[in-house]
Amino acid sequence: MEGYLQSLSDGKIKRYVQFLEINDAPELVAQYRKWHSQEYSWKEVRDGIRQVGILEMEIYILGSKLVMIVDAPADFNWQEAMDRLATLPRQAEWEAFVAKFQGCAADARSDEKWQPMERMFRLYE
């Protein structure tokens, strides 16, 4: 296992970790991966994520199980950001598009699909 290089923050950040299980049909998993690639993901959606204050977002996959890690400034307000994100260009269209992979209603917002995970361990310094 190689690991993933990360940029270090100069200050404190908030980290959010969420879980989502998508449809496990191999062809749908392959399409979901494709639409989240740098080449095919929608620029307006990536821009919107940055506009609401998210510094970094990563999604990890194992089979049909996804874990999303979101880093934001220490003063970040998750609910305010998600409310704003839902109004930005193409966001509702994106959520409706990916709903077929996620097995949820087409009008479900991102924060209604992804389930927050609780940190149960941290290796303190």
Side-chain angles (χ1 to χ4, degrees):
M1 177 187 292
E2 290 293 318
Y4 302 94
L5 292 176
Q6 300 294 318
S7 297
L8 296 176
S9 170
D10 292 334
K12 292 197 178 275
I13 61 170
K14 282 186 183 174
R15 174 165 285 169
Y16 300 87
V17 181
Q18 299 178 303
F19 175 81
L20 177 69
E21 192 157 3
I22 59 173
N23 187 310
D24 64 355
E27 65 278 2
L28 290 178
V29 172
Q31 286 180 40
Y32 196 75
R33 282 177 170 272
K34 171 187 167 183
W35 288 108
H36 283 82
S37 70
Q38 194 67 24
E39 181 180 359
Y40 287 96
S41 62
W42 298 2
K43 182 182 182 319
E44 300 90 343
V45 172
R46 293 192 317 269
D47 290 346
I49 290 166
R50 290 184 192 96
Q51 285 175 29
V52 301
I54 292 173
L55 302 172
E56 181 61 89
M57 177 184 286
E58 299 175 327
I59 299 175
Y60 294 83
I61 186 167
L62 178 63
S64 60
K65 294 170 179 51
L66 305 176
V67 172
M68 179 167 57
I69 300 170
V70 177
D71 290 335
D75 63 350
F76 188 78
N77 182 303
W78 183 265
Q79 196 56 56
E80 287 177 9
M82 292 302 104
D83 290 346
R84 182 169 174 229
L85 183 64
T87 69
L88 294 179
R90 298 199 74 192
Q91 187 65 35
E93 182 184 354
W94 171 258
E95 298 299 349
F97 176 71
V98 295
K100 65 184 173 189
F101 305 104
Q102 298 167 335
C104 59
D107 63 346
R109 293 173 18 158
S110 177
D111 60 326
E112 296 170 333
K113 302 174 191 183
W114 288 87
Q115 301 302 305
M117 298 179 78
E118 176 185 355
R119 180 171 68 190
M120 59 172 263
F121 173 80
R122 179 176 179 209
L123 182 62
Y124 292 92
E125 299 163 353

